[in-house]
């Protein structure tokens, strides 16, 4: 196990909201001990005392649910270093003893190529691992170039292109439900399933992340990675094992079989939008373009929806809807599997029944099955929903990811070819949107998103 984690961008939003709480959860669950150290590096040049104050404040805010002892252990394991990721001297100074390290690039994707080149020049110790946040590259050509640079730096098994959705227990449960049971797999195909919705609608707004988000937008922030990964788990063929090779080969097969959208499809199979000022519940929200750091001319979308088809024996004829939006009226984070109507309904005119829906709630975690049952009066039907809550996970998603990185298990990381295939899917959409083939619709914050006109 590697015991040294060096985080570039180590005092940013990701470190504060996800990495520090993850380390704290790992201490709480007994996965880390006093040998572990986390070095947070950036160019700001803070004093250690200032940094420790910041760490304590972030842990209080974002890891309030972990025991005090675990938070203390995290603070004790964490220290600050000033370093510029574009300076090989700075980087080399963080790798003094030749011991393998895990380098986490919690940086904007535009900095990845330069960062990888610097790590190369600085002489990364053998056995080191590198962790990159999504989106991996800014487009297909960028991802290919980055993959080439990484291949010169470390073996593919040491590259962790992370997608924290894959480490959510609720997402893992997509595989659990499908592959550890008989009942679903026999109906898991287009003969029985009409549509799968993969939805991540948030009431959350920009939350001060313009420096990242305004350069990326919802399609690259959510669909190109998280939602396509969910699609892979739902649509893949059952693998022989869940080892990194089997799992990732099968996910790549799904991505390869997604039918590319053409300019003719894109206006009616995709939607994009940007939020205006509005009310979410009783919270007043400014328009996206009025948020600090946003440049309206960049045209970043805060809502993206894409409908895809998979060209395979199993899935030909099933519609897959992938959608994510910010500042919406209600959180809806789920995979909804819509079954086809029954072929024959023997209940006469009173036998109107909605087709079955299986919902995997991703946050909050829950599983529900919407069926039709016999109603109280003769020959009538009524909806019946079976719902189960899942046990809270031992580790948050980033906790599981960090543990895999430290142990060197890349099964939940995205492989080089997988990242490129995911870009292949969204590239025609990005190109068509940049030519305004689909206008950037506006929607009030607190609404259900842009209107569906024109579909
Ligand atoms: C991140 C996206 O990867 O996932 C955010 O950048 C999004 O825009 C977030 O809000 C959702 O995941 P979580 O775990 O923060 O709810």
């Amino acid at each position: 196990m590697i015991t040294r984690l060096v985080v570039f961008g180590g005092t940013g939003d990701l470190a504060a909201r996800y990495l520090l709480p993850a380390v704290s959860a790992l201490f709480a669950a007994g996965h880390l001990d006093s040998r572990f150290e986390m070095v947070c590096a950036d160019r700001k040049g803070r004093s250690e005392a200032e940094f420790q104050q910041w760490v304590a404040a972030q842990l209080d805010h974002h890891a309030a649910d972990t025991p005090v002892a675990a938070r203390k252990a995290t603070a004790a394991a964490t220290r600050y270093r000033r370093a510029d990721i574009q300076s090989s001297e700075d980087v080399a100074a963080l790798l003094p003893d030749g011991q393998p390290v895990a380098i986490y690039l919690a940086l904007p994707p535009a900095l990845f190529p330069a960062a990888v080149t610097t790590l190369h020049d600085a002489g990364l110790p053998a056995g080191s691992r590198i962790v990159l946040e999504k989106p991996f590259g800014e487009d297909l050509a960028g991802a290919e170039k980055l993959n080439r640079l990484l291949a010169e730096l470390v073996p593919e098994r040491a590259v962790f292109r992370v997608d924290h959705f894959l480490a959510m227990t609720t997402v893992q449960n997509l595989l659990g439900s499908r592959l550890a049971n008989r009942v679903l797999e026999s109906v898991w195909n287009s003969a029985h399933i009409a549509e799968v919705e993969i939805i991540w609608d948030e009431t959350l707004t920009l939350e001060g992340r313009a420096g990242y988000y305004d350069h990326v937008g919802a399609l690259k922030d959510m669909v190109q990675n998280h939602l396509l990964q969910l699609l892979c788990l739902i649509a893949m063929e059952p693998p022989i094992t869940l080892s990194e090779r089997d799992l990732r080969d099968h996910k790549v097969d799904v991505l390869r079989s997604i039918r590319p959208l053409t300019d003719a499809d894109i206006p009616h199979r995709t939607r994009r939008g940007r939020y205006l000022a509005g009310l979410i519940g009783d919270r007043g929200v400014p328009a996206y373009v009025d948020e600090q750091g946003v440049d309206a001319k960049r045209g970043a979308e805060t809502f993206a929806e894409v409908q895809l088809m998979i060209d395979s024996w199993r899935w030909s004829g099933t519609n897959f809807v992938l959608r994510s939006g910010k500042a919406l009226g209600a959180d809806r984070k789920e995979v909804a599997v819509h079954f086809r109507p029954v072929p024959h309904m023997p209940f006469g005119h009173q036998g109107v029944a909605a087709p079955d829906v299986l919902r995997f709630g991703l946050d909050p975690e829950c599983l529900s099955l919407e069926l039709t049952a016999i109603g109280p009066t003769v020959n009538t039907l009524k909806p019946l929903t079976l719902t189960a809550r899942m046990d809270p996970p031992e580790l948050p998603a980033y906790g599981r990811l960090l543990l895999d990185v430290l142990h060197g298990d890349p099964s939940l990381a995205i492989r080089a070819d997988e990242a490129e295939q995911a870009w292949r899917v969204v590239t025609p959409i990005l190109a068509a949107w940049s030519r305004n083939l689909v206008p950037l619709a506006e929607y009030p914050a607190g609404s259900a998103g842009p209107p569906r006109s024109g579909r």
Side-chain angles (χ1 to χ4, degrees):
M1 174 174 164
I2 284 182
T3 54
R4 190 146 190 249
L5 176 69
V6 178
V7 184
F8 286 96
T11 61
D13 184 66
L14 186 95
R17 281 177 42 188
Y18 294 108
L19 301 184
L20 286 170
V23 169
S24 194
L26 288 173
F27 271 116
H31 291 293
L32 294 179
D33 59 31
S34 58
R35 289 172 306 157
F36 175 76
E37 93 179 299
M38 173 167 167
V39 178
C40 294
D42 69 16
R43 291 185 310 179
K44 291 183 194 131
R46 302 168 176 237
S47 71
E48 190 62 32
E50 255 179 320
F51 172 70
Q52 284 299 336
Q53 254 178 17
W54 176 83
V55 169
Q58 301 315 315
L59 288 170
D60 283 350
H61 189 55
H62 299 292
D65 54 343
T66 47
V68 177
R71 280 185 266 157
K72 281 196 173 145
T74 306
T78 309
R79 59 200 172 81
Y80 177 76
R81 286 289 178 272
R82 201 212 70 83
D84 180 352
I85 186 63
Q86 307 207 43
S87 151
S88 47
E89 291 80 38
D90 282 8
V91 173
L94 295 175
L95 316 165
D97 51 8
Q99 291 301 312
V101 288
I103 301 272
Y104 201 120
L105 300 182
L107 298 169
L111 289 178
F112 288 172
V116 174
T117 306
T118 316
L119 289 169
H120 197 269
D121 297 345
L124 201 57
S128 294
R129 299 173 193 139
I130 177 158
V131 189
L132 300 100
E133 269 296 326
K134 58 93 233 229
F136 180 77
E138 296 175 273
D139 53 22
L140 177 57
E144 286 169 346
K145 181 178 164 209
L146 195 49
N147 278 336
R148 282 195 297 274
L149 287 172
L150 283 163
E152 289 168 17
L153 182 66
V154 286
E156 176 59 30
R157 279 187 65 100
V159 181
F160 290 75
R161 298 170 193 80
V162 291
D163 188 309
H164 77 283
F165 273 44
L166 286 176
M168 290 177 181
T169 314
T170 48
V171 170
Q172 288 290 308
N173 191 44
L174 291 170
L175 288 184
S177 302
R178 275 191 64 191
L179 306 177
N181 300 287
R182 255 198 117 95
V183 68
L184 290 184
E185 204 48 30
S186 52
V187 289
W188 211 249
N189 55 52
S190 63
H192 298 280
I193 296 175
E195 182 167 279
V196 178
E197 291 180 288
I198 303 172
I199 307 292
W200 194 268
D201 284 350
E202 298 180 309
T203 51
L204 217 66
T205 60
L206 186 59
E207 312 287 318
R209 296 169 72 216
Y212 156 74
Y213 193 87
D214 201 42
H215 297 267
V216 174
L219 191 73
K220 291 187 190 177
D221 181 49
M222 292 296 299
V223 179
Q224 190 272 346
N225 34 75
H226 300 322
L227 302 192
L228 277 178
Q229 284 298 319
L230 293 178
L231 172 62
C232 287
L233 299 188
I234 293 155
M236 73 183 191
E237 294 302 317
I240 301 168
T241 71
L242 293 181
S243 67
E244 61 90 12
R245 172 82 194 272
D246 286 342
L247 187 62
R248 301 199 293 184
D249 280 356
H250 283 73
K251 287 198 292 162
V252 172
D253 281 350
V254 174
L255 292 168
R256 289 178 53 228
S257 60
I258 294 175
R259 188 184 306 164
L261 291 182
T262 63
D263 280 359
D265 302 324
I266 286 170
H268 61 97
R269 297 194 69 89
T270 72
R271 294 195 290 151
R272 62 175 178 142
R274 184 165 71 183
Y275 66 83
L276 297 166
L279 269 184
I280 304 178
D282 52 11
R283 180 164 59 105
V285 168
Y288 176 75
V289 295
D290 293 331
E291 295 266 21
Q292 201 183 354
V294 168
D295 180 352
K297 290 198 290 297
R298 286 196 198 104
E301 75 285 350
T302 60
F303 176 104
E305 183 182 274
V306 170
Q307 295 191 46
L308 299 171
M309 303 294 281
I310 294 180
D311 286 327
S312 70
W313 267 60
R314 188 191 279 264
W315 291 118
S316 183
T318 298
N319 195 39
F320 290 86
V321 182
L322 282 63
R323 183 175 82 224
S324 184
K326 290 203 181 285
L328 296 171
D331 283 308
R332 181 181 166 209
K333 299 167 181 177
E334 67 171 10
V335 172
V337 180
H338 296 267
F339 288 86
R340 296 191 189 281
V342 292
H344 171 67
M345 186 53 104
F347 294 93
H349 67 280
Q350 285 159 317
V352 181
D356 310 335
V357 185
L358 176 61
R359 293 182 193 276
F360 296 89
L362 303 174
D363 183 18
E365 61 283 359
C366 116
L367 189 61
S368 76
L369 179 58
E370 294 169 12
L371 299 166
T372 299
I374 291 293
T377 35
V378 178
N379 270 356
T380 60
L381 301 172
K382 66 165 195 175
L384 171 76
T385 303
L386 308 177
T387 306
R389 299 300 302 253
M390 289 172 62
D391 293 336
E394 179 198 39
L395 291 177
Y398 271 92
R400 167 76 197 270
L401 285 183
L402 283 184
L403 200 59
D404 284 358
V405 169
L406 299 176
H407 283 291
D409 177 359
S411 51
L412 296 188
I414 313 298
R415 206 169 57 191
D417 52 343
E418 215 180 331
E420 292 175 13
Q421 283 298 330
W423 278 114
R424 184 192 65 84
V425 174
V426 299
T427 296
I429 305 167
L430 287 167
W433 285 5
S434 73
R435 283 181 281 125
N436 216 24
L437 220 59
V438 176
L440 183 62
E442 293 184 314
Y443 61 97
S447 68
R452 289 178 183 272
S453 55
R455 294 179 66 204

